[in-house]
Amino acid sequence: MREEPYIFEMSSYIRLGVNIDHVATLRNARGGVHPDPFTVAVACVKAGADGITIHLREDRRHIRDADAERICAEIAAPINLEMAATEEITAIACRLKPHGVCIVPERRAEITTEGGLDVVGGQAALAPLIARLNAAGIVVSLFVDPEPAQLRAAVAVGAAVVELHTGAYANGRPGELERLTAAAALTGEIGLECHAGHGLTYANVTPIAALPEVRELNIGHYLMGEALLVGLPETIRIMKGLMAEARK
Ligand code: PXP
């Protein structure tokens, strides 16, 4: 078994990473500086977020280089940088040294990350890139569909973590919770740390947070929408409460 990346934590605790990409989307809609993703990241951490997730896309449609620079340098919580497996973003990650990266597939026309990464098909390209990130001291996660072959390939390419794609579950696809349950169990057997995310809400988070192998959830869109109604601190407090309740 590989050493746990987050050995200092109790295994029953489940972390909440708050994805703040949509704050940048809102700022960019007017081309100005408000709302500022950095300021919102500070507020999320103050409200109890265990980490901040940002996606520096190749097209820079939301988070920009200056946001990533400042957030990685100045936020006092682990930063999870979502990225495509490209030379450009790998070089940026190795320079900014976030706590972790999550490698995702990226297609320019998509609205959000649509499917999991094809680790099986992309092993040859992924392995050297992950080796570079690992050598820079960055914990590497791969965003994958809950398929055993993808998880085994994640081990083969040197990733320490997988983030299971919960989008199909969130969309109500039959059998998806069972697939996620089996995939989470497999991560424990093959020495991967298990995260999960995409499309999670107050209404659907409990069964995913209850999976004992899942150590972290990354949630963005729903939290930002709720925050418009009741504010960020209250939104994060409720989501963290649901997650903690699910672990009991
Ligand atoms: N995890 C990954 C890898 C993602 O790409 C996203 C979307 O940016 C999320 C989690 C968060 O998804 P949502 O915004 O639907 O909560």
Side-chain angles (χ1 to χ4, degrees), residues 28-98:
N28 298 350
R30 282 291 172 97
V33 295
H34 182 82
D36 177 20
F38 174 80
T39 308
V40 173
V42 172
C44 288
V45 174
K46 193 170 168 219
D50 301 290
I52 298 296
T53 294
I54 52 175
H55 186 172
L56 187 65
R57 293 183 70 105
E58 284 184 274
D59 62 11
R60 307 299 199 271
R61 69 168 70 153
H62 38 57
I63 293 292
R64 295 178 176 152
D65 296 63
D67 301 319
E69 296 252 358
R70 187 161 185 217
I71 287 167
C72 287
E74 296 181 37
I75 293 294
I79 305 302
N80 172 34
L81 179 72
E82 293 179 3
M83 56 172 276
T86 66
E87 175 55 39
E88 185 210 5
I89 308 288
T90 302
I92 292 173
C94 288
R95 185 169 58 77
L96 300 185
K97 291 193 175 20

Side-chain angles (χ1 to χ4, degrees), residues 234-248:
E234 180 66 357
T235 305
I236 290 173
R237 189 189 67 75
I238 294 172
M239 186 59 87
K240 285 207 67 167
L242 290 169
M243 290 164 59
E245 195 59 34
R247 303 300 269 195
K248 286 186 181 159

Side-chain angles (χ1 to χ4, degrees), residues 104-175:
V104 301
E106 219 177 84
R107 286 177 285 274
R108 271 173 197 264
E110 71 190 0
I111 294 172
T112 181
T113 315
E114 278 163 7
L117 191 67
D118 180 11
V119 188
V120 174
Q123 287 194 42
L126 285 167
L129 191 143
I130 292 170
R132 277 166 63 196
L133 292 160
N134 283 338
I138 298 167
V139 177
V140 177
S141 168
L142 305 180
F143 186 51
V144 292
D145 291 322
E147 289 170 12
Q150 298 294 348
L151 303 185
R152 294 189 194 285
V155 175
V157 295
V161 181
V162 283
E163 180 171 323
L164 298 178
H165 195 321
T166 53
Y169 158 79
N171 288 334
R173 187 198 280 170

